[in-house]
Amino acid sequence: MPAKERYPNLPKAVEYAHIGWDFLILAAVIINLSLLLFDSLFLLDPINQTIASIAPGFHTFYDTAIHSRFIAIDLYFVAFFVADVLLGWAVAIAERRYHRWFFYPFIHWYDVLGCIPLSGFRWLRVLRVVSLLNRLHRLRIIDVTRWTSYQFVAKYYDILLEELSDRIALRLLGNVQHQIVASDSLTEQVIDRVVMPRKDQLIREISQRLESTVGQAYQQNRTAIMKAIDELVSRTLRESPEIQKLHRLPMGQTASNAMQASLSGVAQRLVDELALGIHSPEFRQLIEQTAESGFESWLTVDEGSAHVTEQVLYDMIEMLKEQVRLQRWKGRYE
């Protein structure tokens, strides 16, 4: 049997039922808090006497019907709020709203704490309006992103989050720089734990890149290379004493030109063959063997190379810190 979707798209009727229930809870919270506030003021003698003098009938009714039984009335509200939490939990499980069934009281902590019959905790239930606004926004009944209050809070929340994350990142990068400076064997650790386990891959990559780079460069510059070879052969023959003596003989100039054309052609064909041979398995194996034989000596660490490696890493992190220090929120909001 296929698993249910964890976050199903609820029918609009169900969504509206949730909205209606949220409004009912908010109304109960407002009534409860208003009663708590008024009863606290009713205990003050000046206010009590003022109410008795202005509205004696209301004073008598409130004193006998509500104030004297206020604890019992308040417990009815507490029971209603507890039932709301239990019902909301059951509905969340039925709708598979969260990843685990026991997540509800942690996510709706303000409702759970609001059940505690203390005035300080009761005010937490006002946060129920946040979930109500979220549901109304999701149904496109309202658009909170256009509210000035939302834009104000979102702006400074974004600034605070960026500044906080930047401070943490700078602290972490500074600690990394300290570890680089304090470590005596960082370069050896990088070679042993990072480079050497990937030795074969690096040699293969070097060979492939060399083969590709040389091949592309030759194809792009073949005309210029052939012209340079022809000029080199021509200059060499022209400056040769033996060829100059040949010019004095009958037909010497013709023989010299034929020799130049022949040597130039041979040299050009030789270069072509070498360029084609770069892509052969034999040449690739030769490059890999050469790279492997020089790999160990290339990774030999002395005091100078270790210092250079550490300085490069340190400067790279310093460059990252400079980028982190940039307050990009100024470009977004100014």
Side-chain angles (χ1 to χ4, degrees):
M1 181 178 179
K4 293 183 179 179
E5 185 181 357
R6 187 184 304 158
Y7 301 104
N9 294 321
L10 298 175
K12 283 195 173 182
V14 177
E15 293 280 9
Y16 287 134
H18 281 296
I19 292 174
W21 182 256
D22 285 339
F23 273 117
L24 177 63
I25 296 300
L26 285 176
V29 170
I30 293 172
I31 295 172
N32 184 229
L33 292 176
S34 300
L35 281 175
L36 284 171
L37 180 61
F38 185 81
D39 196 72
S40 299
L41 296 175
F42 191 81
L43 294 174
L44 301 176
D45 288 336
I47 297 179
N48 191 303
Q49 294 174 6
T50 302
I51 295 174
S53 61
I54 296 176
F58 173 76
H59 180 275
T60 302
F61 167 76
Y62 184 83
D63 190 27
T64 56
I66 298 178
H67 180 68
S68 60
R69 296 184 294 173
F70 186 81
I71 295 178
I73 295 173
D74 188 58
L75 288 178
Y76 282 115
F77 279 102
V78 172
F80 182 68
F81 294 148
V82 171
D84 168 59
V85 171
L86 296 177
L87 179 61
W89 196 349
V91 171
I93 293 174
E95 294 176 352
R96 300 183 65 84
R97 195 181 307 164
Y98 305 116
H99 186 70
R100 291 289 185 269
W101 65 271
F102 53 84
F103 279 14
Y104 182 87
F106 298 100
I107 295 175
H108 296 264
W109 55 272
Y110 46 87
D111 285 338
V112 176
L113 294 179
C115 296
I116 300 176
L118 295 175
S119 58
F121 288 106
R122 297 289 177 80
W123 287 98
L124 292 174
R125 280 199 159 261
V126 178
L127 295 176
R128 185 69 170 262
V129 72
V130 177
S131 62
L132 175 60
L133 292 176
N134 179 57
R135 193 182 299 275
L136 292 172
H137 177 77
R138 191 171 64 249
L139 292 175
R140 298 182 179 179
I141 298 176
I142 60 174
D143 187 1
V144 297
T145 59
R146 295 184 178 181
W147 294 2
T148 304
S149 57
Y150 174 86
Q151 294 173 356
F152 177 83
V153 173
K155 171 184 175 180
Y156 287 99
Y157 175 76
D158 184 41
I159 294 173
L160 176 64
L161 198 63
E162 181 176 331
E163 289 291 332
L164 183 61
S165 61
D166 287 350
R167 299 290 82 75
I168 295 174
L170 289 173
R171 186 66 177 269
L172 291 174
L173 292 173
N175 290 337
V176 173
Q177 286 180 314
H178 177 73
Q179 294 296 326
I180 290 174
V181 174
S183 177
D184 295 330
S185 59
L186 177 64
T187 305
E188 291 85 347
Q189 293 179 17
V190 170
I191 292 173
D192 294 339
R193 300 175 60 179
V194 179
V195 178
M196 292 306 295
R198 298 166 178 83
K199 176 182 175 181
D200 295 338
Q201 298 175 5
L202 290 172
I203 292 175
R204 194 178 308 112
E205 184 68 19
I206 291 172
S207 303
Q208 291 176 356
R209 286 181 179 271
L210 181 62
E211 176 184 337
S212 175
T213 302
V214 173
Q216 291 179 1
Y218 179 74
Q219 292 297 328
Q220 294 172 359
N221 301 279
R222 184 179 183 279
T223 303
I225 292 173
M226 295 304 172
K227 183 178 179 182
I229 292 173
D230 186 65
E231 291 178 354
L232 177 62
V233 172
S234 176
R235 186 174 65 252
T236 302
L237 293 177
R238 189 169 56 250
E239 296 175 355
S240 174
E242 289 77 8
I243 299 300
Q244 292 177 1
K245 293 178 182 179
L246 181 63
H247 287 171
R248 300 188 187 100
L249 298 176
M251 302 296 291
Q253 185 65 41
T254 304
S256 175
N257 292 338
M259 185 181 299
Q260 176 182 341
S262 177
L263 291 175
S264 179
V266 170
Q268 290 175 353
R269 285 195 297 273
L270 179 61
V271 172
D272 274 335
E273 290 295 330
L274 288 174
L276 293 174
I278 289 175
H279 301 286
S280 65
E282 293 79 7
F283 182 80
R284 186 177 306 163
Q285 185 178 6
L286 176 62
I287 292 295
E288 291 181 358
Q289 291 175 354
T290 305
E292 185 174 4
S293 63
F295 202 77
E296 297 292 340
S297 60
W298 178 63
L299 294 178
T300 301
V301 178
D302 54 21
E303 185 176 353
S305 61
H307 177 73
V308 171
T309 303
E310 293 171 2
Q311 190 62 43
V312 168
L313 293 175
Y314 188 94
D315 291 342
M316 289 175 61
I317 295 175
E318 190 64 32
M319 182 184 65
L320 291 176
K321 289 170 67 176
E322 291 177 0
Q323 294 296 317
V324 172
R325 288 192 188 98
L326 295 177
Q327 295 177 318
R328 291 180 174 82
W329 57 267
K330 290 185 177 180
R332 294 195 299 270
Y333 297 113
E334 292 185 358

